[in-house]
Amino acid sequence: MDSMELQQRTKAFALRIVRLFQKLPPRTDARVLGTQLLRSGTSVGANYRAACHAKSAADFLSKMKICEEEADECEYWLELLAEGGIVKAALLEPLHREARELASIMAASARTSRTRQRASSSNRQS
């Protein structure tokens, strides 16, 4: 998957989160959890886009770690929405799966970036 495809995928994820938020019941617990999910779910794509324009390898790595953390946080809010009885777990499963996959992709990308940084650093020292 190239960076443009991942940008599109993270944007689609954000839009799915927005649509879920719009359908939540107007209860305080649903709105509080939904707002947290909305924040983290839209942050994944925004931070990935920023990573694509990183000024250095360290900047890229930092932003990718933020993407991973935000995707993982989405999983948490989705779990609370389901376990709190606000939304049926089966309805949230596709979003939950996508959040897990995005977190895994971001983690793998960060690992690759770290490995390349180390290799580049050791090549300069030789």
Side-chain angles (χ1 to χ4, degrees):
M1 174 176 300
D2 69 19
S3 66
M4 285 306 294
E5 290 172 326
L6 192 51
Q7 281 185 42
Q8 291 170 350
R9 186 170 173 178
T10 58
K11 184 187 257 185
F13 177 71
L15 290 170
R16 289 168 63 195
I17 295 291
V18 168
R19 285 191 289 278
L20 170 64
F21 177 78
Q22 291 169 340
K23 293 178 182 174
L24 289 175
R27 300 179 356 209
T28 302
D29 58 347
R31 288 294 163 183
V32 169
L33 297 175
T35 299
Q36 294 286 31
L37 175 62
L38 185 63
R39 185 198 56 75
S40 59
T42 55
S43 178
V44 175
N47 279 292
Y48 181 70
R49 181 177 258 182
C52 290
H53 300 288
K55 295 178 181 11
S56 66
D59 188 31
F60 175 81
L61 181 58
S62 174
K63 287 183 175 31
M64 291 305 289
K65 291 306 290 177
I66 292 169
C67 292
E68 178 188 357
E69 291 167 6
E70 294 292 345
D72 182 64
E73 189 175 319
C74 286
E75 290 184 68
Y76 178 74
W77 301 121
L78 289 165
E79 289 167 8
L80 288 180
L81 285 169
E83 293 172 26
I86 298 166
V87 180
K88 291 182 181 179
L91 295 174
L92 296 177
E93 183 50 37
L95 275 173
H96 206 171
R97 187 178 332 106
E98 182 68 353
R100 279 191 304 271
E101 288 179 17
L102 288 172
S104 293
I105 290 167
M106 301 304 174
S109 184
R111 279 192 303 275
T112 300
S113 178
R114 258 193 309 275
T115 301
R116 286 182 182 158
Q117 279 180 322
R118 287 185 196 125
S120 176
S121 176
S122 66
N123 286 342
R124 277 185 257 135
Q125 293 174 356
S126 297

